[in-house]
């Protein structure tokens, strides 16, 4: 089976698989190499993704969402370097207009991929429907698991937000006595909302599903902040840790906005893709003390 | 002048909030008009500045803050007063006052790594020194940072934000999508705010200004005239954006054409300038002039190549928005445009002053360098910040410009 690489949750894995590809999600860590031809003040994730793509020429291609300035450039750079790249334009809006637009864009991407894989559109639609049903089942499992996780009274529950490199810090946070609730799109269902039901149009379902999830920092409007505030209230979270890479504009704007609106202690851990574990340990200890003793 | 004591800031804020005080500028404007019935460009610009300050701080209408590529004709048609914070902060920098708002933004957790045009706008808003907006308008056109910036402004000012999502490819379908969004915004303004759109006059002024600016472009292609000091045209950005669609821009364009109508002093080298420039000091233009590096074209002052049509106004504006995105923010639109301008202006090379916090231009450096060198044009990327002087390194700048000059002269003699 042919393989496609991608790095952003806006690229739906369900669609790639329904088109007949194996989808590989890029999950960098602090040791991932970076494309050195790009200037310093440029997204570290995109630099590492470009480097990863160049080292995986055996893949059939890479799907890049046109969701931010850095990803737009990443797509152009991959094309210029003759790496097969497919783009998905993601609206910067929420609401019905955005659903309609994203549906059209997903349709364009699907047709482009189907032309590569040779799978029929009918086959694709049936496969996508199945994939979405599976996703809904996974959401239920996610909900049950987080329900269990909440029952850990000896730990300090906190919201953990951050981009791709953040997962590397999870063990450290657990070790420091925190109960970590990662800032995931699936968290929307923890807010007690009814899951979306499937209709006769799987592409529209997919678009709705993608945009209905808890908005990411890219859509840093009031909807995200309200949802995060509700999430913190619902789960009884006592603080927020944000891990961010130096040149991610969305994270950088969000830090200022969250600091102003959540009303909880916030700890920001910045990195330029070189880890600072000893320093982070000290800061997490101080943060823990601050939450426990005010 | 950069650091302002808090007490002075309080006094300044107190004064800026006194609308009546700014009404007193009216007799002064009248006196200036009497004294200079046909003012040269600097005096004209001074008078426009005074008038704009009276409009904005005297609150002579509803104020619409907009991102740079939201077409001003939309606001003039709605009789709103447009205010472009990304342009205004350049003026604040030129007045050597920008470090105070930058520091205010940083204190509120907005990182030094964010675009300083946006950070400065946030700082001026937190300090309540910019005129309070009634509405905010933004597009995701050339940079996505704008979306984050305007979200922060919405949070600070607590006023409605109208965001236009701009697709990354200019297609007929994309035109319809942008036009639909503009229509929805216009309808909302008409319904909720009793705003009434009249397109004829602003479109007439915009189209006429465009015609003259195209003549200005033709004059700048001639070898016997040049705008000096180099990059001077970037100081006139408000006329290319904020005032476009009102008489002010038309009068500016006429004066600019007049200034270029006769042969003038020229510099030995003809270059193209990409992106903007440092606004906090005149050191760079002076250095360019001293080294004989003239600028004959700037990409940010390129007029929209089409006439706006009053019969389908929002479709016209949608095309204008998509055009800006295409020629400035996609490599497939921008690079051929630069190569074409190099030929049209018979220019020898390209300089880009890359803004530290500008992801979209930083990301294109690699592609741009490769394509320009491939076409045989030398290119110089200067790194720094257009507003924040902490990122400036004047001696390094001099060295790099001197090396670039040597390269140009070496090519000329070989």
């Amino acid at each position: 089976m042919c393989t496609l690489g991608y790095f952003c949750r806006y690229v739906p894995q369900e669609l790639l698989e329904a088109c007949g590809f194996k989808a590989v999600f890029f999950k960098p860590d602090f040791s991932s190499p970076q494309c050195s031809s790009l200037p310093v003040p440029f997204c570290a994730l995109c630099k590492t993704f470009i480097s990863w793509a160049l080292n995986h020429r055996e893949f059939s291609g890479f799907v890049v969402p046109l969701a931010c300035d850095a990803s737009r450039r990443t797509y152009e750079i991959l094309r210029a370097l003759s790496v097969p790249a497919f783009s998905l334009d993601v609206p910067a809006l929420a609401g019905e207009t955005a659903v309609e637009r994203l549906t059209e864009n997903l349709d364009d991407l699907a047709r482009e991929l189907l032309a590569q894989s040779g799978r029929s559109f009918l086959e694709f639609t049936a496969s996508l429907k199945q994939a979405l049903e599976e996703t809904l089942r996974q959401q239920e499992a996610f909900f049950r698991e987080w329900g269990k996780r909440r029952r850990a009274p000896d730990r300090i529950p906190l919201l953990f937000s951050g981009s791709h490199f953040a997962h590397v810090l999870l063990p450290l946070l657990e070790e420091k006595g925190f109960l970590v609730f990662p800032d995931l799109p699936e968290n929307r269902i923890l807010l007690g909302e009814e899951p979306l039901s499937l209709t006769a149009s799987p592409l529209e379902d997919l678009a709705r599903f993608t945009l209905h999830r808890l908005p990411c920092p890219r859509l840093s409007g009031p909807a995200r902040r309200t949802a995060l505030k509700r999430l913190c209230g619902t789960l009884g979270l006592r603080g927020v840790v944000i891990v961010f890479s130096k040149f991610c504009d969305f994270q950088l704007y969000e830090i200022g906005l969250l600091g102003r609106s959540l009303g909880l202690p916030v700890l920001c851990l910045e990195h330029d893709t070189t880890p600072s574990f000893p320093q982070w340990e000290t800061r997490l200890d101080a943060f823990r003390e601050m939450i426990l003793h005010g | 002048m950069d650091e302002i004591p808090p007490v002075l800031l309080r006094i300044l804020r107190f004064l800026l909030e006194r609308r009546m005080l700014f009404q007193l500028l009216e007799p002064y404007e009248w006196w200036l008009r009497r004294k200079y019935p046909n003012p040269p460009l600097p005096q004209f610009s001074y008078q426009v500045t005074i008038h704009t300050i009276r409009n904005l701080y005297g609150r002579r209408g509803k104020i619409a803050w907009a991102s740079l590529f939201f077409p001003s004709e939309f606001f003039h048609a709605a009789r709103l007063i447009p205010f472009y914070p990304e342009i205004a902060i350049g003026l604040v920098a030129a007045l050597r006052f920008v470090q105070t708002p930058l520091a205010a933004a940083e204190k509120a957790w907005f990182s030094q790594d964010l675009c300083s045009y946006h950070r400065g706008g946030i700082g001026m808003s937190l300090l309540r020194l910019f005129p309070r907006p009634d509405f905010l308008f933004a597009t995701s056109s050339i940079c996505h940072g704008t979306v984050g910036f305007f979200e922060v402004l919405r949070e600070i000012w607590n006023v409605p934000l109208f965001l236009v999502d701009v697709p990354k490819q200019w297609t007929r379908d994309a035109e319809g999508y942008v036009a639909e969004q503009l229509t929805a915004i216009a309808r909302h303004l008409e319904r909720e705010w009793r705003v009434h759109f009249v397109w004829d006059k602003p479109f007439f002024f915009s189209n006429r200004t465009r015609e003259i600016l195209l003549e200005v472009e033709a004059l700048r292609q001639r070898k016997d005239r040049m705008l000096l000091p180099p990059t001077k045209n970037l100081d006139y950005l408000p006329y290319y954006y904020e005032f476009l669609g009102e008489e002010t821009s038309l009068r500016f364009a006429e004066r600019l054409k007049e200034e270029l109508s006769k042969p003038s002093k020229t510099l030995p080298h003809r270059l193209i300038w990409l992106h903007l420039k440092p606004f906090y000091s005149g050191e760079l233009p002076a250095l360019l002039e001293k080294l004989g590096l003239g600028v004959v074209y700037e990409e940010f002052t390129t007029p929209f190549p089409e006439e706006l049509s009053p019969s389908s106004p929002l479709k016209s504006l949608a095309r204008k928005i998509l055009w800006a995105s295409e020629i400035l923010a996609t490599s497939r639109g921008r690079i051929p445009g630069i190569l074409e301008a190099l030929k049209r202006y018979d220019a020898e090379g390209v300089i880009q002053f890359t803004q530290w916090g500008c992801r979209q231009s930083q990301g294109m450096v690699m592609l741009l360098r490769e394509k320009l060198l491939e076409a045989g044009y030398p290119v110089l990327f200067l790194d720094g910040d257009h507003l924040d002087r902490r990122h400036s390194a004047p001696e390094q700048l001099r060295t790099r410009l001197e090396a670039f000059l040597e390269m140009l002269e070496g090519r000329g003699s070989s």
Side-chain angles (χ1 to χ4, degrees), chain A residues 53-175:
Chain A
L54 290 172
N55 288 324
H56 287 80
R57 294 267 189 179
E58 73 279 11
F59 281 18
S60 306
F62 299 87
V63 184
V64 183
L66 306 181
C68 65
D69 296 324
S71 63
R72 243 174 126 169
R73 292 292 161 263
T74 299
Y75 172 69
E76 290 181 340
I77 290 166
L78 289 180
R79 297 286 295 226
L81 295 172
S82 307
V83 175
F86 304 90
S87 67
L88 172 68
D89 197 351
V90 186
L93 299 168
E96 277 310 298
T97 320
V99 170
E100 214 174 289
R101 184 79 196 158
L102 186 58
T103 308
E104 285 169 22
N105 297 344
L106 288 169
D107 186 69
D108 290 345
L109 175 64
R111 285 177 196 279
E112 214 178 332
L113 293 177
L114 290 171
Q116 300 278 318
S117 69
R119 192 174 264 199
S120 75
F121 197 78
L122 212 64
E123 211 179 335
F124 158 72
T125 313
S127 185
L128 183 60
K129 208 168 163 55
Q130 276 179 8
L132 287 173
E133 280 164 2
E134 176 55 30
T135 302
L136 287 180
R137 275 194 292 277
Q138 281 174 10
Q139 277 200 347
E140 280 167 29
F142 171 86
F143 187 59
R144 281 196 299 276
E145 194 209 318
W146 286 101
K148 271 188 233 158
R149 263 185 91 87
R150 286 171 67 178
R151 293 189 286 272
D154 55 327
R155 293 183 160 258
I156 303 166
L158 58 78
L159 181 71
F160 182 52
S161 186
S163 68
H164 289 56
F165 297 91
H167 67 97
V168 181
L169 261 92
L170 276 170
L172 179 63
L173 283 155
E174 298 275 349
E175 188 194 311

Side-chain angles (χ1 to χ4, degrees), chain B residues 50-66:
Chain B
I50 297 293
H51 183 71
T52 308
I53 287 173
R54 179 159 75 95
N55 274 348
L56 290 167
Y57 288 100
R59 304 200 68 84
R60 298 180 68 215
K62 289 208 180 300
I63 297 174
W65 283 31

Side-chain angles (χ1 to χ4, degrees), chain A residues 39 41-42 66-67 69 72-73 76 80 89 91-93 101 104 221-222 225 246-247 249 252-253 255-256 260, chain B residues 109 113 118 126 141 143-145 151 154-155 165 167-168 173 177 181 325 329-331 359-360 362-364 367:
Chain A
F42 190 74
L66 306 181
D69 296 324
R72 243 174 126 169
R73 292 292 161 263
E76 290 181 340
D89 197 351
L93 299 168
R101 184 79 196 158
E104 285 169 22
R225 292 192 297 283
K246 258 181 94 64
F247 303 108
D249 279 350
L252 293 177
Y253 279 116
I255 288 160
R260 288 166 69 90
Chain B
W109 293 23
D113 293 322
H118 297 162
L126 290 169
S141 168
C143 105
H144 253 284
E151 283 294 351
R154 159 155 68 182
E155 177 87 10
D165 176 40
K168 310 299 178 290
D173 182 42
Y177 177 58
Q181 293 177 68
S325 179
T330 68
S331 56
R359 298 313 157 224
Q360 69 92 8
Q362 293 277 3
M364 215 189 286
L367 299 171

